[in-house]
Amino acid sequence: MRTGVLYLNPYGAIGGAERALLELLGELDRTRFAPVVVLGEDGPLATELEKQGIETIVEPFSSPPLYRLAWPSTLARLARAAWRIRRLARERRPRILHCGDVLGLLLLVAARPRGTRIVCQLNYLGGAPRRWALAALALPAVHRLLAVSAQQPEQLGPAPSLLAGRTSVVPPGIRVESFAGGNPRELRQALGLTEDVPLVGLVARYDTWKGHGVFLEAAVRIRKSRAGVRFVMVGGDLDGRPLPHLRRYRDQVLRRRRELQLEEAVAVLGHRDDVPAVLAGLDVLVCPSDHEPFGMIVLEALAAGTPVVASDSGGPAEILEPDRSGLLFPTGDARALAEAVIRVLEDDGLRARLAEGGRRRVRERFASARYARDVEALYAGLA
């Protein structure tokens, strides 16, 4: 008899956590496990899940700003969502409930039928005290917390102490072949660039810890010695409805781009679904986040053969082997980032070594099949 697993995700759009979910479900042994995914909204994620033959149910619930959680209307809406999810869980009778954010965790704790086990893969909690309070209320009910990198428990503050002996580090994985063979002309044609123009990119949604400011400061320094280098920021908002502080952050990034007189040198593109083509069009991918929990885009760039320069904290510091599969720079140091990018652009041998080393690193350590087997073993231990 197969073990039922119910996955709960509030978003219908596809970000890094959603791409990791797609990779997991694409490799999950369906002779042993019966997955069903519940989404808080319709969108591209539902389409991709259905392509994989995964039962997908949309039960509308949205992730409200923290300051609205105590509002009666918000509590009533979440209570209705929890009731619907509980009813669904009773119908499907899953043994495992798997979520990836605080809202999903709260709903699963409220909706959990007796005898089920909760697996929580918290990708990012942030530093808001109210979020910590919510996590503290819900985490004791979790049977297993999945950390996506060894450093992540430190970033989660008090969370590991609430789950002593119940935390496992399981890095996500990808399929190398999915990112090989992207057409580099697609991105460059969209930007009006020829193939001989060096292009450095940041691929990330607009969030306060993604390091857009460091990227722009580094661009200024790079252009002082390599005036012909062009840059691009690719990414949008995960659900198309940015919270006020994220909208302000995006406006600050674009304003800083104007202040640094980079409007011609740094192109801005919104969300793109053709990630392999975007990565193939770049000479260097930069990941300047100040505390990236994991960094799916780093893995994807390695698989595409695109050299990566990333900050030396969080997941990228564990993914990359310095000078073998990527370069690391001190977090927040725009000068060091610029120097690393220039080094890659000017050294053909280094670029080739990083491209080959990156693909090897993904195959050996971060393959999606390994990811699925690790998660399956965890499920089996709980079931």
Side-chain angles (χ1 to χ4, degrees):
M1 183 176 179
R2 295 190 299 167
T3 299
V5 186
L6 186 150
Y7 299 86
L8 186 64
N9 192 81
Y11 301 111
I14 299 177
E18 289 73 29
R19 296 201 300 275
L21 176 62
L22 288 169
E23 294 286 355
L24 170 62
L25 293 176
E27 296 283 356
L28 194 71
D29 185 351
R30 296 189 210 174
T31 66
R32 299 174 58 203
F33 300 95
V36 57
V37 179
V38 179
L39 301 178
E41 60 185 12
D42 203 355
L45 180 56
T47 301
E48 292 302 316
L49 289 167
E50 289 165 0
K51 287 180 182 178
Q52 292 188 8
I54 303 293
E55 182 182 5
T56 304
I57 300 169
V58 177
E59 286 285 355
F61 66 91
S62 58
S63 184
L66 289 176
Y67 67 86
R68 292 183 182 174
L69 277 176
W71 291 12
S73 59
T74 301
L75 292 174
R77 186 170 68 253
L78 293 179
R80 289 193 295 270
W83 181 83
R84 292 194 302 269
I85 293 167
R86 182 178 179 84
R87 183 182 61 185
L88 179 63
R90 284 179 169 175
E91 292 173 357
R92 296 297 192 279
R93 297 185 178 181
R95 180 62 171 164
I96 306 292
L97 306 175
H98 189 138
C99 65
D101 74 326
V102 174
L103 176 61
L105 174 57
L106 290 169
L107 290 174
L108 288 186
V109 169
R112 174 192 167 213
R114 181 177 299 178
T116 54
R117 299 289 184 266
I118 294 178
V119 173
C120 183
Q121 185 170 325
L122 282 182
N123 296 292
Y124 176 64
L125 278 179
R130 283 168 291 188
R131 188 179 283 113
W132 282 119
L134 291 171
L137 288 173
L139 283 173
V142 171
H143 296 86
R144 183 65 60 175
L145 177 70
L146 292 189
V148 294
S149 67
Q151 292 187 31
Q152 192 187 28
E154 300 174 8
Q155 298 171 353
L156 295 180
S161 64
L162 298 172
L163 288 159
R166 289 180 284 158
T167 300
S168 299
V169 178
V170 182
I174 62 172
R175 285 162 287 185
V176 174
E177 58 272 18
S178 298
F179 294 89
N183 185 353
R185 296 187 184 90
E186 292 183 20
L187 176 64
R188 289 176 176 268
Q189 287 175 352
L191 298 175
L193 300 178
T194 57
E195 294 183 17
D196 61 333
V197 176
L199 182 59
V200 179
L202 166 60
V203 181
R205 71 177 187 270
Y206 287 96
D207 210 331
T208 53
W209 47 277
K210 287 293 187 179
H212 291 79
V214 177
F215 179 76
L216 293 175
E217 297 289 344
V220 172
R221 295 178 179 276
I222 292 167
R223 284 179 57 80
K224 287 180 179 179
S225 61
R226 295 286 301 264
V229 178
R230 296 289 297 274
F231 305 84
V232 61
M233 298 189 298
V234 181
D237 305 302
L238 186 56
D239 60 0
R241 301 183 302 275
L243 297 175
H245 75 285
L246 297 183
R247 190 161 49 242
R248 288 193 297 271
Y249 172 74
R250 182 187 59 196
D251 293 343
Q252 289 169 3
V253 170
L254 298 180
R255 183 167 59 250
R256 186 58 176 157
R257 171 173 164 259
R258 291 193 299 271
E259 292 171 352
L260 294 173
Q261 299 181 354
L262 290 172
E263 289 179 287
E264 291 187 8
V266 180
V268 177
L269 298 180
H271 175 79
R272 301 279 295 233
D273 292 321
D274 55 342
V275 175
V278 169
L279 294 173
L282 298 176
D283 292 293
V284 183
L285 174 87
V286 171
C287 180
S289 304
D290 56 34
H291 51 271
E292 185 72 47
F294 182 68
M296 286 296 289
I297 193 63
V298 172
L299 276 193
E300 292 161 352
L302 297 185
T306 302
V308 176
V309 177
S311 53
D312 62 352
S313 64
E318 298 175 25
I319 295 171
L320 299 176
E321 308 157 293
D323 286 331
R324 296 177 62 190
S325 54
L327 298 184
L328 297 171
F329 71 95
T331 302
D333 189 336
R335 180 190 296 274
L337 170 56
E339 291 172 352
V341 170
I342 291 172
R343 182 184 168 202
V344 174
L345 292 176
E346 294 183 345
D347 189 334
D348 293 343
L350 175 61
R351 284 201 307 278
R353 186 168 73 248
L354 294 180
E356 179 57 32
R359 292 191 184 99
R360 173 194 51 77
R361 180 67 167 162
V362 174
R363 290 192 186 98
E364 292 179 356
R365 182 68 183 87
F366 297 102
S368 56
R370 185 277 314 158
Y371 178 35
R373 301 296 85 79
D374 288 350
V375 174
E376 288 170 359
L378 185 145
Y379 288 164
L382 292 175

